[in-house]
């Protein structure tokens, strides 16, 4: 069995989770998307995200945290938020 951890990806970009925050994209790129789960509901034995905040952020370490946020929105459901973040990220990375 391999000791190497596999990273979950969506449309070829990594997804990393820490508690209720999911980061989409690579820190090596100019932008990433941060998805923060604000509310959840219990559906059987699963917790489903019902309200999610989406932010397109710069990865520049020299920028102030307030200046890193390029776009932000709030969506109902995790996949709706992830799809919006994916579109924002694709457009931001294509504009380089």
């Amino acid at each position: 069995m391999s000791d190497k951890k596999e990273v979950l990806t969506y449309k070829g970009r990594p997804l990393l989770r820490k508690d209720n925050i999911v980061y989409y994209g690579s820190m090596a790129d100019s932008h990433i998307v941060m998805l923060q789960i604000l509310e959840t509901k219990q559906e059987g034995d699963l917790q489903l995200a019902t309200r999610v905040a989406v932010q397109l952020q710069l990865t520049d370490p020299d920028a102030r945290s307030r200046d890193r946020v390029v776009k932000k929105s709030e969506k109902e459901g995790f996949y709706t938020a992830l799809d919006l973040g994916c579109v924002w990220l694709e457009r931001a990375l294509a504009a380089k």
Side-chain angles (χ1 to χ4, degrees):
M1 193 167 175
S2 174
D3 289 335
K4 184 179 175 185
K5 282 188 167 183
E6 294 204 20
V7 176
L8 183 64
T9 61
Y10 178 72
K11 294 189 178 182
R13 301 199 187 284
L15 277 167
L16 300 170
R17 180 179 181 179
K18 173 71 175 145
D19 298 325
N20 67 335
I21 297 178
V22 177
Y23 294 98
Y24 175 62
S26 172
M27 289 300 286
D29 293 334
S30 62
H31 293 79
I32 61 164
V33 171
M34 183 187 81
L35 304 155
Q36 182 177 14
I37 300 167
L38 303 173
E39 286 181 1
T40 61
K41 73 174 180 179
Q42 194 71 27
E43 190 78 25
D45 60 345
L46 293 175
Q47 288 250 338
L48 298 177
T50 56
R51 221 176 85 212
V52 181
V54 186
Q55 290 185 356
L56 177 67
Q57 297 181 350
L58 291 169
T59 57
D60 182 10
D62 298 329
R64 294 186 321 201
S65 61
R66 177 181 309 172
D67 296 335
R68 286 185 188 158
V69 178
V70 178
K71 289 183 179 185
K72 62 183 176 179
S73 181
E74 198 171 292
K75 294 293 175 190
E76 300 231 354
F78 184 79
Y79 292 107
T80 306
L82 182 58
D83 281 341
L84 175 66
C86 182
V87 170
W88 283 355
L89 187 60
E90 291 295 324
R91 288 180 182 173
L93 295 178
K96 285 200 259 183

